[in-house]
Amino acid sequence: DAKTTQPTSMDCAEGRAANLPCNHSTISGNEYVYWYRQIHSQGPQYIIHGLKNNETNEMASLIITEDRKSSTLILPHATLRDTAVYYCIVISYNNDMRFGAGTRLTVKP
Amino acid sequence: DAGVTQSPTHLIKTRGQQVTLRCSPKSGHDTVSWYQQALGQGPQFIFQYYEEEERQRGNFPDRFSGHQFPNYSSELNVNALLLGDSALYLCASSSLAAQETQYFGPGTRLLVL
């Protein structure tokens, strides 16, 4: 079973920041928070991951709370091509990924 | 540098038949994981192969089996197909030794009639 809770769907205006929350209250000390997204019927695409510290790459930023029980994925300037299902996954070293239902993000013009 | 590739892209089978799906990992990766994604749901972990052996397994029946070859490529076999096996089958590769991120292929869409 997935160890994360995400809203079922969210909307965002094009050009604005999209903030996608994720709760992972049972996360263990050696577990990372990973984010993937899946654009209609394609394979999931890796976005970003983190352990304790906030992370940023060319696609997004990941903000992890100090107690590590929740995190937020931030797409700074959402475009129509960012419309997808976003999955937040908690995973330990053994790489056994358990996906939930994810958040369906719709970016609107 | 090729990413993860899967073949075929689409497949149609009938109930009771057997199917073999193939996956080539990203260059430098030694671990292959397989997932099943039914329509409207998130991917479900089937199993993972490392050093040509099944390392972990999700909650799938023995009809689902796999193999990993010395070149790290992998096959997923499903016997006695059921209508409920219709899904997108995803392969992901990673480097276990390097604790590297899993990267997914485009998937094989299987339709069982």
Side-chain angles (χ1 to χ4, degrees):
Chain A
D1 294 332
K3 293 181 166 183
T4 62
T5 304
Q6 299 178 252
T8 303
S9 63
M10 293 181 63
D11 291 341
C12 178
E14 188 178 17
R16 304 295 294 270
N19 296 280
L20 290 87
C22 179
N23 287 320
H24 30 80
S25 58
T26 61
I27 192 170
S28 300
N30 64 343
E31 289 180 320
Y32 290 78
V33 180
Y34 274 74
W35 284 83
Y36 285 79
R37 72 180 183 185
Q38 190 171 25
I39 298 171
H40 182 63
S41 292
Q42 298 179 20
Q45 176 189 23
Y46 166 76
I47 301 173
I48 199 167
H49 75 282
L51 183 63
K52 295 181 181 178
N53 299 322
N54 298 337
E55 302 289 343
T56 295
N57 63 20
E58 65 278 4
M59 288 183 68
S61 294
L62 174 60
I63 308 298
I64 303 174
T65 58
E66 193 169 344
D67 63 7
R68 303 210 321 126
K69 293 185 177 182
S70 66
S71 61
T72 301
L73 177 73
I74 301 172
L75 308 178
H77 306 287
T79 71
L80 299 180
R81 287 179 293 181
D82 292 322
T83 292
V85 177
Y86 287 76
Y87 295 101
C88 168
I89 303 158
V90 166
I91 177 175
S92 60
Y93 166 67
N94 66 15
N95 281 341
D96 179 9
M97 289 205 290
R98 308 282 172 154
F99 286 78
T103 295
R104 182 171 298 278
L105 175 69
T106 303
V107 181
K108 298 185 174 182
Chain B
D1 176 26
V4 181
T5 60
Q6 293 186 243
S7 63
T9 56
H10 295 82
L11 202 53
I12 300 175
K13 292 285 187 178
T14 57
R15 281 179 298 175
Q17 285 189 310
Q18 179 264 345
V19 68
T20 297
L21 310 181
R22 296 175 176 81
C23 172
S24 291
K26 187 174 184 288
S27 177
H29 285 181
D30 56 16
T31 304
V32 173
S33 302
W34 286 92
Y35 295 81
Q36 179 195 65
Q37 185 173 25
L39 202 61
Q41 299 181 19
Q44 300 298 306
F45 175 72
I46 303 175
F47 44 52
Q48 182 182 79
Y49 276 83
Y50 172 67
E51 292 189 339
E52 301 180 49
E53 292 195 357
E54 185 181 291
R55 180 172 172 270
Q56 295 180 77
R57 189 179 183 91
N59 188 26
F60 279 80
D62 292 344
R63 297 187 297 110
F64 290 76
S65 63
H67 189 77
Q68 185 178 35
F69 300 93
N71 67 352
Y72 307 118
S73 67
S74 177
E75 288 181 350
L76 164 66
N77 301 292
V78 186
N79 294 322
L81 284 167
L82 304 173
L83 296 180
D85 294 332
S86 295
L88 180 67
Y89 287 85
L90 296 160
C91 165
S93 75
S94 61
S95 170
L96 197 62
Q99 298 185 46
E100 197 175 307
T101 300
Q102 289 193 32
Y103 291 90
F104 284 82
T108 293
R109 185 160 296 284
L110 172 65
L111 178 62
V112 182
L113 301 177

